[in-house]
Amino acid sequence: MHSTYNTDGLARALLDLVGMLNSPRQDDILLQEAGVSIDRALFPLLARIGAAGSLSVVELAEQAGRDHSTVSRQTAKLANLGLVTRRQAVRDQRVHEAVITADGRRAVKAITMARRRLFGKLLADWSVEDRETLARLNRRLAGAMMKARSSWDRPQL
């Protein structure tokens, strides 16, 4: 029989992290540090669009864990702010996608730089090796979870 201590400890740590990352106060701190004035519900979408360059509403909803209609309304708000444009996808003209604009790229860059500064302060007493290990293992866990999710989404025969 295997020990569940590590699994339970990991689950508790992930719940704590998700709680902190989803905290409106954390969002406010990051946006203030970045000097970006945007509804905190919009900036995670903007960051994802910025990382990809463009994303369909369906892809964005999937990545953000939000429903399609909410993301559609939120991308319209981003477009009204001039941070993204909305267009028909090149691959499939039935699909609409959000494309980052120059103003959107500037906002994403400011948020990225602020995140780096805040994480730099938070992890200041961590060794470079520990920081690299943390990033590598988190990426590995995220990859495993995404792979598992994609297999759950496939119809079972």
Side-chain angles (χ1 to χ4, degrees):
M1 182 176 218
H2 72 285
S3 169
T4 60
Y5 176 76
N6 287 339
T7 304
D8 293 345
L10 175 61
R12 283 191 302 275
L14 289 173
L15 286 172
D16 289 346
L17 283 170
V18 168
M20 290 297 297
L21 292 171
N22 287 334
S23 163
R25 180 68 185 126
Q26 289 298 120
D27 294 346
D28 290 340
I29 291 167
L30 178 59
L31 291 171
Q32 182 177 3
E33 178 75 19
V36 172
S37 179
I38 186 175
D39 181 329
R40 64 178 167 251
L42 301 179
F43 95 84
L45 301 179
L46 180 64
R48 290 179 184 282
I49 297 164
S54 68
L55 283 172
S56 74
V57 171
V58 172
E59 291 168 324
L60 189 54
E62 170 81 12
Q63 288 183 19
R66 299 179 187 175
D67 65 86
H68 174 270
S69 61
T70 299
V71 169
S72 183
R73 284 191 304 277
Q74 291 172 328
T75 56
K77 289 179 183 179
L78 288 169
N80 288 337
L81 294 170
L83 301 173
V84 302
T85 58
R86 294 170 69 175
R87 69 174 186 206
Q88 290 180 314
V90 175
R91 304 182 301 271
D92 184 344
Q93 296 205 346
R94 297 171 297 172
V95 174
H96 289 88
E97 63 185 4
V99 181
I100 195 83
T101 64
D103 285 346
R105 276 192 293 279
R106 282 190 285 279
V108 169
K109 183 175 182 179
I111 292 167
T112 299
M113 299 307 288
R115 185 179 294 114
R116 287 177 185 168
R117 288 190 300 275
L118 292 171
F119 267 122
K121 291 175 190 175
L122 184 66
L123 303 175
D125 61 344
W126 289 40
S127 71
V128 171
E129 181 182 354
D130 283 349
R131 284 185 251 164
E132 289 172 351
T133 300
L134 177 66
R136 180 179 52 78
L137 292 176
N138 274 299
R139 181 73 267 153
R140 183 175 170 189
L141 177 60
M145 291 175 83
M146 288 187 289
K147 183 178 179 183
R149 181 179 64 187
S150 70
S151 71
W152 296 331
D153 291 341
R154 280 183 259 153
Q156 301 296 316
L157 299 177

